[in-house]
Amino acid sequence: MGVAGGRGGDGVDHSGAPRALLPPSLCLGSAPAPQQPGSPALPRALRQLPGAVTSTRSPQDPLSARRCPPAPTKPQQAMEGDLTLQLRIFDLNCWAIRYLSKRRQERVQLIGDMLRRERFDLVLLQEVWSEQDYSDLKARLGSCYPFSHYFRSGVIGSGLCVFSRFPILDTLLYQYSLNGYPYMLQHGDWFCGKSVGLVVIKISGILFNVYVTHLHAEYCREKDAYLPHRLVQAWELAQFIRHTSKAADVVLLGGDLNMHPEDVGIRLLRGWTGLRDAFAEATRFEGCEDGCTLIPNNCFTVKTELLPFPLGIRIDYILYKAISSFTVKCEELKTTTGTAPGMDIPFSDHEAVMATLHIRRQGQAAGATLGTAEPMLADVVTEARTEVGVGLRAAQRQRYSTGRMAVLALLLLLLQAAAALGALAGLATGQPFPKLSFSLLAFLAIGVLLLATGLHLFHTIEVKMLQGTEEQMRMALRALQERPSDG
């Protein structure tokens, strides 16, 4: 959770190579043709009308002999012209930090084995910081999840990846503009390319925009210095979803949002996008109490951080909404509850979230999605804007302090240069300044100048990003306040 990206996007195949946007049947040469009416029943994980795209392992895969067990089922058709899909989604923060995470390789193997057994339709993972771990998972899961994508960004990567049973038509990555502070080395979020990744998937003519993300961690709830940055990330995430999902039929978001359900950031995200919480909407729930995903009895969690929360906290989410003529319902939500089956360790320091969604095509188009489920959205935006303003003023103070330090260091260097020139010209009288002390002072001044200048530039960028977000929120708030008069 503590450590944890560039923009880009092309269609990808299961090898990760870019491809042009194609229909599902043409996305991969190795993928079989769409099923036709009268063909064998489809796998259990997705109940749908004939015509769905299914895939098998390529012959080159070294694990081709270890296929996932078949699970036949029947397609569902409620009414004439209606289509019902059942989609099973898995989300987990894997806590796979090379050299730092305990028993990382063993846990990654356990995660891969569990995903092979359960055979979900979509797998959304965070904190897969080692690309080698992703490659190992890709090889292990190739027969069950032929399509995957790893999002690369930042110094050590975004940590985000997606595995899918269905062809990935397109991808896009957006790296958040603010992500902590470079001098907070003990936290390390700044060195990670915290981002939101998008994959586009089409199933039986239904276009899915699937987003996976990981926001900045909260290290101290009482005095959260990163709250403005996390709010900027939540706002950029909401804007990214709004502006990229207009052509989609269904929107899915999974990830470690590092926010409690009642926090202003999650309320802003849900209100501004219209996304619904799978935990709150689920017909059936099984797992940790209150759906918590960071629990005290997990052997990898920091117990002191959870002292105010004896049951744990819920910071990992699966959110969704339907657009156009579709509806989505969460039939079942589960979380893992500690150690992996038959093992003495859990899969991660987070609990996994597993949702079973039913997507149905309706005869009439859905209404507007912006803020329709959040009547007090204007108050939420106001609250978020206030917190961003607090962060802006703090950043302005930091910019001023570092700028003043840089100016003082520069003046000291100029005084030293003047003294040196005076000594060379024979203007100095009495005992000259010791050369060693003079040199050490000069190196110190240069070091302070470089450090202060770098921090001044960083805080200048921070100020600009916070100002931009506050301005966007101000315009959004004005639009919300004017909307009733338009009707």
Side-chain angles (χ1 to χ4, degrees):
M1 147 175 154
V3 184
R7 300 170 177 83
D10 291 302
V12 296
D13 60 14
H14 59 287
S15 65
R19 293 183 63 97
L21 185 63
L22 296 174
S25 59
L26 301 178
C27 185
L28 281 177
S30 61
Q35 276 191 326
Q36 301 299 327
S39 60
L42 295 177
R44 171 194 59 199
L46 180 65
R47 301 174 184 173
Q48 59 188 54
L49 289 180
V53 179
T54 58
S55 305
T56 59
R57 176 184 293 275
S58 61
Q60 293 79 10
D61 196 313
L63 298 177
S64 57
R66 299 171 58 188
R67 297 182 180 276
C68 292
T73 186
K74 295 181 179 180
Q76 294 182 358
Q77 188 169 5
M79 296 175 56
E80 186 72 23
D82 281 4
L83 171 68
T84 300
L85 301 180
Q86 178 178 286
L87 201 66
R88 299 180 65 227
I89 305 171
F90 177 90
D91 176 83
L92 175 64
N93 179 322
C94 297
W95 190 52
I97 311 168
R98 183 177 286 185
Y99 311 122
L100 295 179
S101 298
K102 299 176 182 178
R103 303 174 71 172
R104 172 182 60 87
Q105 292 177 312
E106 182 181 0
R107 292 188 294 102
V108 169
Q109 182 175 348
L110 287 175
I111 292 170
D113 292 341
M114 184 268 293
L115 292 176
R116 282 177 56 85
R117 289 194 308 270
E118 293 296 328
R119 202 178 185 190
F120 296 91
D121 297 303
L122 283 171
V123 175
L124 311 177
L125 302 180
Q126 306 92 51
E127 287 203 10
V128 183
W129 298 115
S130 168
E131 198 161 342
Q132 183 59 50
D133 287 342
Y134 164 73
S135 298
D136 293 343
L137 282 172
K138 181 178 176 181
R140 181 176 295 272
L141 300 176
S143 62
C144 299
Y145 309 91
F147 309 97
S148 65
H149 185 71
Y150 185 80
F151 293 97
R152 298 170 176 86
S153 69
V155 177
I156 66 172
S158 70
L160 307 175
C161 61
V162 175
F163 292 88
S164 170
R165 289 186 51 240
F166 302 94
I168 295 175
L169 305 181
D170 201 3
T171 68
L172 184 62
L173 183 70
Y174 177 81
Q175 184 172 345
Y176 298 124
S177 59
L178 292 178
N179 190 39
Y181 303 101
Y183 47 84
M184 300 296 287
L185 300 178
Q186 72 275 25
H187 295 157
D189 291 71
W190 184 83
F191 298 95
C192 311
K194 291 290 185 69
S195 316
V196 50
L198 161 67
V199 297
V200 180
I201 299 173
K202 197 170 189 178
I203 308 172
S204 289
I206 304 177
L207 197 64
F208 290 81
N209 271 25
V210 182
Y211 301 86
V212 58
T213 192
H214 185 193
L215 303 190
H216 198 294
E218 176 188 89
Y219 294 96
C220 179
R221 191 159 182 84
E222 291 73 22
K223 190 177 180 181
D224 187 4
Y226 299 110
L227 177 58
H229 285 210
R230 197 179 309 107
L231 282 174
V232 169
Q233 292 179 349
W235 176 256
E236 291 178 350
L237 172 60
Q239 291 286 70
F240 182 74
I241 292 174
R242 282 189 60 224
H243 291 294
T244 58
S245 63
K246 294 179 180 178
D249 297 313
V250 177
V251 174
L252 303 174
L253 168 64
D256 177 6
L257 301 184
N258 275 310
M259 296 184 289
H260 298 217
E262 71 278 4
D263 286 353
V264 60
I266 195 71
R267 289 185 282 123
L268 176 69
L269 172 63
R270 291 190 57 199
W272 194 242
T273 60
L275 291 169
R276 296 158 61 188
D277 186 355
F279 173 77
E281 302 282 339
T283 303
R284 298 191 304 275
F285 172 76
E286 178 182 337
C288 300
E289 190 169 350
D290 293 336
C292 294
T293 56
L294 210 61
I295 58 176
N297 62 359
N298 185 304
C299 64
F300 295 130
T301 58
V302 181
K303 305 300 185 291
T304 55
E305 294 180 357
L306 295 176
L307 286 178
F309 311 99
L311 296 179
I313 57 178
R314 183 163 73 96
I315 58 177
D316 300 86
Y317 297 82
I318 293 177
L319 307 176
Y320 61 85
K321 74 171 180 177
I323 307 177
S324 65
S325 58
F326 294 87
T327 60
V328 183
K329 179 182 178 182
C330 182
E331 180 187 60
E332 183 179 57
L333 189 79
K334 295 182 179 180
T335 70
T336 53
T337 55
T339 57
M343 300 297 296
D344 63 337
I345 57 171
F347 296 109
S348 171
D349 63 340
H350 287 236
E351 301 303 320
V353 182
M354 298 158 280
T356 301
L357 303 181
H358 278 269
I359 299 96
R360 171 171 293 186
R361 189 195 304 272
Q362 300 293 337
Q364 297 180 349
T369 58
L370 174 58
T372 54
E374 186 62 66
M376 304 302 292
L377 182 56
D379 294 337
V380 176
V381 175
T382 301
E383 183 180 352
R385 185 187 173 202
T386 301
E387 294 292 348
V388 170
V390 172
L392 174 59
R393 289 186 289 274
Q396 289 171 333
R397 291 193 297 269
Q398 291 286 346
R399 180 179 63 174
Y400 173 77
S401 299
T402 55
R404 184 175 59 180
M405 185 183 300
V407 170
L408 292 175
L410 180 60
L411 290 176
L412 178 58
L413 280 176
L414 292 176
L415 287 174
Q416 288 182 293
L421 290 175
L424 289 175
L427 300 178
T429 60
Q431 181 68 25
F433 196 79
K435 291 183 179 180
L436 179 60
S437 300
F438 187 87
S439 300
L440 291 176
L441 186 60
F443 280 119
L444 177 62
I446 292 173
V448 171
L449 176 62
L450 293 176
L451 177 62
T453 301
L455 290 177
H456 180 75
L457 293 175
F458 170 81
H459 287 296
T460 298
I461 296 173
E462 182 187 19
V463 167
K464 291 182 180 297
M465 295 300 101
L466 289 168
Q467 285 176 334
T469 301
E470 188 183 37
E471 177 65 17
Q472 291 178 27
M473 289 180 173
R474 184 189 64 81
M475 290 187 293
L477 186 59
R478 183 175 60 189
L480 290 171
Q481 292 171 341
E482 291 176 354
R483 183 179 301 163
S485 61
D486 296 341

